[in-house]
Amino acid sequence: NKRSSILLSNSEHNGLSNVRVSPDSRHIHIILQKPEVGLVTFDKFERPLPVQNQKKLDLIRGAAVAAVVYENGKAEFWRFQDCKVGWHLLQTSDLCNSPQAKVVSVCASSHLLIWCEERPPSESSSASPPLRNNLRFCVCRRDYEVEEGAVILGGVKITLHSSPKFAVLCSGECVHLLPDVEAKTQSSISKFLFTWSPHRDTFTVNTTCNNTPVKLVSARESDFKRLVTDCVGYLSILEPPEIQSFAPTGCGGLLLLLSTGWICLLQKDGILRRVYKLAENCFIQHRGPTSLCIFKDTLALIIEEKLYLIDLNCGRELEKIVQTPHLLSESGLFMAVNKETECKDCSSKRKLSGSSAVNRAHSGALLVEAVFEEACKYYQQRSLSSTQLTVEALKKGGRFQAPISLASILRNYLSSTSDKLMCSLESELRALVSLEEVKGCLVKGGAKEVESMCYTLVEKEVARLLSISDLDKDSLSYLNSVFSIFPCQAWKAVQVALQLHYNGEGSLSSKAPPDMWKCVLTRAGASSSPAVLPVFELLCQSVLHFQPSWLPKFLQLAQQQQGSAGLGLPLNHVPLYKRALCILSSSSPDRNQHQDIEVELLLVSGRPNAVLQALRILMGKQQWEKVMQVAQEFCKQGPLLNKEIFTTLLCEVAHHRDLDSYLDLLWALCPEDFTVTTILNLVLQNLPSPNSPAIPSSFYTSCPPQLTIGLLKPLLRKVLQRETKPSQRYADILQSPSYPPPALPRHPTDQSRDPSVPTTPPAETHAAESTHTDLQRSRGALPANPVGSA
């Protein structure tokens, strides 16, 4: 009950290029190029039921309809009918609006046809010629509906325009847009992959180097350049692995085989989950085609003529079959075989079977894999970790702890074929000998020798763990325990591993490689348990304990390394200074104990909010000289921070007289866009209210909180002189005495009762009273318009 017919001619490559199974599993479509280019279908016929109306029968069964789309935009719609024995053409339509469009990829999803087409580059575009040539594609869609004798197509709608070349792929309700790795596009552009949800009308932007989505945006924005503008700079420093092969999961997800050898599952929520890691020697040496397929919770991978069956939930390899199957479905595994080459292969296999040397080499390779695979299973069953243990990790990660047991296995299989195993075991056997030497020293040695041995072991372990760029939870927990049990030795080991050097000029330097700093700064392996600290927090805790004054310098060094190493940190990562402050606050319940270090950490961060926070702490401690030093240093960083700092200090001047000796320095920091009106408004709004409760005298160190025009006159004169249209509005202020008038008494007094009180000249008394009264009466805000336009 199977027939075949050629339906399509549009491909140029050699060999089997594409195999698809219909949703009802009754039809297998294969695009062939030899011996004749076309589409071959394998169809399962069913015996027709005795129904009088055949059209009604087709509607009840949901007869299969196939859309065959050509490169020039032509689309043929075919329907399969059992009664008419095969496929019959329903209609031919033009899919694209433009006759110059070229279809490069197409898929269908829930009454939608989605395709990526290439359009001629627009000469009117403002983009540069290379960018304009790369972004000459667009992703389009059309609604369709199948009726009795025709297919009704809706209008063309653009989902994404001015985009690079994408491969469109449907999976459940999602449509995935994958970059074309062979196209010569800009590197940053080819690092994106999109997931479009038609039902939610959203785009999810992903990369293969991030486990979480880069961004989630509304699909109403259909311009590719606008969607990725804020991400291009972030991705320009990353090198995400290329996509070697892919396959839909059918429920919205997408399987990806990456150039690193990892098989990952891109879930419909945008999370990229690692599933299985291929052996390096297997993946690097392989250059042929690969194929991925999934059925329920089982993943099938074909590479190097081997079929790998993998549990999708835990990443465990279920079985490895040496054959070339191509399809996995409910009915079983289907294998595509060339009958001509099959006979030649059988004869060659019979010839090879007589060669004992080949058999020994093959059995030796199998022995190598079998021993390490059994060791993996042994450790995985007894491990409390949820991390999947692989043969590569066992060989290179120093985790193989039973070389003696393996040696006993080899004793039964000793032959010339065991050389590969002995090479793999060489480093482990050396580690075993070294461990035995350490045991002997600990048992026989004195206190100094034991201490020296502990330091050596801790130094090696810290260096080994910090050299792991992707630290897992177990390794991070182990590193925390090392710092807890051997704090002093661990602190010395960190200085050696990071090659920390204090140059005597108030800064630290490091010659450690970028990969080690990546391990320090990222939150890899971070645990939800507060007892297990990330590496950076762990090192900050050690620095604070043994060398507290180094903590701000260590933060400064870490920030420099973070910028120079180009670490691929997530967009919502916590700044390093906040992570260091968390360690500082948790070290002592008394905040005042480390407040000087807190101020230094805030200032070293260089962030505006942190600088203002440090300034407020210094003002609260009345360290006015330090306050002015900070203000002079950070006002140079930018006009916005300059405005915030000057405003804060001017409001402080309005409250008390402790800053009188620094007023000349403060007036020099006045922003260029400040006017007299702005200054007076700030002063008036921050003057102490006469009805406010009395301020304790111990709060101020010199004078009572009283501000006069005489103190502000140098600032006001400076502001008036730089205005383009000087105003006479405040001329009377500039004519006031240059010296500040004496402070007025808080309550009226009779001077005749106290002859020691000096008599104030009437004119000066009148001027002082009028000046102070004007400030008190003018407490309401002045108009905000510039003085020059008054």
Side-chain angles (χ1 to χ4, degrees):
N1 291 332
K2 294 186 178 179
R3 294 173 58 88
S4 65
S5 57
I6 296 177
L7 299 179
L8 176 65
S9 299
N10 73 334
S11 188
E12 300 176 355
H13 302 287
N14 295 326
L16 190 64
S17 64
N18 204 353
V19 179
R20 300 183 183 179
V21 182
S22 64
D24 59 2
S25 300
R26 291 183 58 199
H27 311 280
I28 300 175
H29 305 278
I30 304 176
I31 300 176
L32 293 176
Q33 286 76 37
K34 288 184 179 181
E36 185 177 357
V37 180
L39 174 65
V40 178
T41 68
F42 295 88
D43 310 304
K44 181 179 180 181
F45 287 83
E46 294 183 357
R47 182 171 299 175
L49 298 175
V51 179
Q52 294 180 354
N53 191 340
Q54 185 59 42
K55 292 183 178 180
K56 183 177 180 181
L57 175 61
D58 287 341
L59 292 176
I60 293 174
R61 288 180 177 175
V65 175
V68 182
V69 181
Y70 294 82
E71 191 178 67
N72 60 5
K74 295 289 184 182
E76 295 178 353
F77 295 92
W78 296 76
R79 167 173 281 176
F80 182 83
Q81 293 176 324
D82 288 296
C83 62
K84 297 182 180 179
V85 192
W87 294 87
H88 295 271
L89 181 65
L90 284 179
Q91 70 183 58
T92 301
S93 305
D94 288 322
L95 199 61
C96 308
N97 281 338
S98 172
Q100 297 179 334
K102 176 183 176 182
V103 178
V104 296
S105 180
V106 65
C107 65
S109 170
S110 62
H111 300 289
L112 277 178
L113 282 174
I114 304 102
W115 70 94
C116 180
E117 66 178 47
E118 179 183 2
R119 294 182 175 181
S122 174
E123 297 297 333
S124 61
S125 174
S126 59
S128 60
L131 184 61
R132 185 169 63 238
N133 292 334
N134 291 332
L135 304 181
R136 65 181 185 273
F137 298 84
C138 64
V139 179
C140 308
R141 69 182 187 272
R142 293 185 77 168
D143 298 317
Y144 73 91
E145 185 177 352
V146 181
E147 293 190 346
E148 292 184 6
V151 177
I152 300 176
L153 292 174
V156 177
K157 298 179 181 178
I158 296 180
T159 302
L160 193 65
H161 65 83
S162 301
S163 71
K165 184 179 179 181
F166 279 121
V168 294
L169 196 68
C170 291
S171 177
E173 63 178 17
C174 297
V175 180
H176 299 281
L177 312 180
L178 304 182
D180 182 17
V181 295
E182 297 180 358
K184 296 181 180 180
T185 59
Q186 290 185 348
S187 58
S188 57
I189 294 178
S190 63
K191 296 175 183 179
F192 294 102
L193 54 117
F194 287 73
T195 299
W196 173 49
S197 175
H199 297 285
R200 299 178 183 175
D201 199 28
T202 58
F203 278 120
T204 304
V205 185
N206 283 84
T207 66
T208 55
C209 58
N210 276 356
N211 295 332
T212 56
V214 176
K215 63 188 300 187
L216 177 67
V217 294
S218 171
R220 295 178 182 176
E221 177 57 70
S222 59
D223 189 345
F224 173 81
K225 289 181 286 186
R226 292 182 181 178
L227 286 176
V228 302
T229 296
D230 57 343
C231 306
V232 171
Y234 164 67
L235 289 178
S236 62
I237 61 175
L238 303 180
E239 291 297 334
E242 293 183 355
I243 300 173
Q244 302 290 334
S245 184
F246 52 84
T249 63
C251 56
L254 185 68
L255 283 172
L256 301 174
L257 175 58
L258 305 181
S259 57
T260 56
W262 273 104
I263 300 175
C264 298
L265 174 62
L266 178 62
Q267 301 173 171
K268 62 181 180 180
D269 58 359
I271 301 299
L272 188 67
R273 180 169 66 87
R274 289 181 172 182
V275 177
Y276 181 78
K277 177 72 183 308
L278 288 170
E280 290 185 8
N281 55 352
C282 163
F283 191 71
I284 293 175
Q285 297 174 3
H286 176 69
R287 290 294 181 268
T290 59
S291 181
L292 291 169
C293 186
I294 187 172
F295 175 69
K296 293 183 179 180
D297 293 333
T298 303
L299 163 66
L301 167 67
I302 299 172
I303 187 170
E304 285 190 335
E305 297 186 354
K306 292 180 182 179
L307 168 67
Y308 295 82
L309 297 180
I310 301 161
D311 190 327
L312 197 61
N313 294 321
C314 62
R316 185 170 62 91
E317 184 181 304
L318 301 176
E319 192 174 355
K320 184 193 301 182
I321 305 173
V322 184
Q323 54 178 333
T324 56
H326 205 88
L327 296 173
L328 175 66
S329 68
E330 295 182 1
S331 304
L333 292 169
F334 295 87
M335 182 172 59
V337 177
N338 190 324
K339 292 184 178 180
E340 295 180 0
T341 59
E342 184 181 14
C343 298
K344 296 180 181 179
D345 291 342
C346 293
S347 60
S348 62
K349 287 179 182 177
R350 283 192 292 269
K351 292 179 181 178
L352 289 174
S353 62
S355 174
S356 59
V358 174
N359 282 337
R360 284 198 302 270
H362 183 63
S363 62
L366 290 179
L367 177 62
V368 172
E369 293 298 321
V371 170
F372 278 100
E373 286 175 1
E374 286 300 319
C376 278
K377 293 178 183 178
Y378 177 86
Y379 284 116
Q380 197 71 52
Q381 291 172 358
R382 291 158 178 79
S383 174
L384 299 178
S385 170
S386 58
T387 305
Q388 179 67 27
L389 181 61
T390 62
V391 172
E392 290 73 27
L394 201 62
K395 289 180 178 179
K396 297 184 178 180
R399 302 181 65 177
F400 191 60
Q401 304 296 321
I404 295 179
S405 301
L406 187 55
S408 64
I409 297 175
L410 289 176
R411 194 177 298 114
N412 299 325
Y413 296 95
L414 271 179
S415 64
S416 60
T417 61
S418 63
D419 294 339
K420 292 183 179 180
L421 275 177
M422 297 305 297
C423 293
S424 301
L425 282 175
E426 183 177 359
S427 61
E428 301 295 339
L429 292 173
R430 287 181 178 177
L432 177 64
V433 173
S434 176
L435 180 61
E436 293 298 324
E437 291 176 355
V438 170
K439 289 180 181 179
C441 291
L442 292 176
V443 173
K444 301 175 183 178
K448 292 184 178 180
E449 293 178 348
V450 170
E451 183 179 355
S452 175
M453 188 60 63
C454 287
Y455 170 74
T456 303
L457 288 175
V458 171
E459 181 180 342
K460 290 181 179 179
E461 282 302 283
V462 169
R464 182 183 68 84
L465 292 170
L466 293 183
S467 63
I468 302 174
S469 58
D470 191 10
L471 206 64
D472 56 23
K473 292 182 180 180
D474 295 332
S475 299
L476 181 61
S477 178
Y478 172 52
L479 183 63
N480 273 255
S481 65
V482 170
F483 273 76
S484 176
I485 300 171
F486 306 100
C488 183
Q489 292 86 346
W491 162 239
K492 294 179 181 179
V494 166
Q495 298 179 65
V496 174
L498 295 180
Q499 302 179 47
L500 294 179
H501 175 69
Y502 184 72
N503 59 12
E505 299 177 1
S507 63
L508 286 174
S509 62
S510 170
K511 296 182 180 180
D515 287 342
M516 186 169 289
W517 276 105
K518 181 180 180 181
C519 175
V520 171
L521 300 180
T522 57
R523 299 177 69 91
S527 172
S528 58
S529 173
V532 180
L533 296 175
V535 180
F536 178 74
E537 281 81 346
L538 194 62
L539 299 190
C540 286
Q541 189 180 67
S542 185
V543 172
L544 183 63
H545 181 73
F546 292 99
Q547 203 75 27
S549 62
W550 281 22
L551 187 57
K553 302 174 182 62
F554 181 74
L555 173 62
Q556 187 176 24
L557 175 63
Q559 290 178 157
Q560 294 171 357
Q561 295 294 331
Q562 187 181 55
S564 62
L567 302 181
L569 300 178
L571 297 178
N572 58 346
H573 72 280
V574 180
L576 292 178
Y577 83 95
K578 288 188 177 180
R579 296 170 63 180
L581 285 174
C582 288
I583 295 300
L584 188 67
S585 61
S586 62
S587 64
S588 174
D590 185 11
R591 182 181 178 184
N592 295 327
Q593 182 179 353
H594 297 302
Q595 203 163 51
D596 292 339
I597 298 179
E598 179 183 0
V599 170
E600 291 300 319
L601 291 176
L602 292 169
L603 295 177
V604 164
S605 73
R607 302 201 174 205
N609 290 336
V611 172
L612 292 174
Q613 184 180 348
L615 204 63
R616 294 187 187 98
I617 294 175
L618 292 173
M619 290 162 55
K621 298 176 69 175
Q622 302 181 34
Q623 297 181 3
W624 306 116
E625 184 176 356
K626 180 67 173 176
V627 166
M628 292 309 302
Q629 290 176 359
V630 171
Q632 287 180 302
E633 178 182 354
F634 287 94
C635 278
K636 301 175 184 178
Q637 289 193 357
L640 293 179
L641 186 56
N642 184 10
K643 184 176 180 180
E644 291 289 338
I645 292 176
F646 182 81
T647 301
T648 301
L649 294 180
L650 185 59
C651 295
E652 193 72 13
V653 168
H655 282 87
H656 56 82
R657 301 284 291 275
D658 287 346
L659 281 166
D660 283 7
S661 59
Y662 303 98
L663 290 182
D664 291 340
L665 297 176
L666 179 58
W667 301 156
L669 302 178
C670 180
E672 292 292 330
D673 59 345
F674 264 43
T675 64
V676 172
T677 303
T678 306
I679 294 170
L680 291 179
N681 275 337
L682 284 172
V683 172
L684 292 174
Q685 291 169 6
N686 288 276
L687 282 175
S689 174
N691 300 324
S692 61
I695 302 176
S697 59
S698 61
F699 185 81
Y700 299 104
T701 60
S702 57
C703 306
Q706 183 177 359
L707 180 65
T708 65
I709 290 295
L711 292 173
L712 292 175
K713 192 173 73 170
L715 173 63
L716 299 177
R717 181 185 289 114
K718 175 184 177 182
V719 174
L720 283 172
Q721 288 175 351
R722 72 187 180 198
E723 292 180 358
T724 57
K725 295 180 181 180
S727 173
Q728 299 301 319
R729 182 173 185 174
Y730 304 102
D732 58 333
I733 295 177
L734 299 180
Q735 299 302 323
S736 62
S738 59
Y739 56 86
L744 293 177
R746 296 183 180 273
H747 301 287
T749 58
D750 187 0
Q751 294 184 5
S752 62
R753 297 179 182 178
D754 189 359
S756 64
V757 178
T759 303
T760 304
E764 293 182 10
T765 304
H766 177 72
E769 289 177 353
S770 62
T771 302
H772 181 70
T773 305
D774 288 343
L775 278 176
Q776 294 295 333
R777 290 178 179 177
S778 303
R779 193 170 300 277
L782 297 174
N785 58 305
V787 176
S789 61

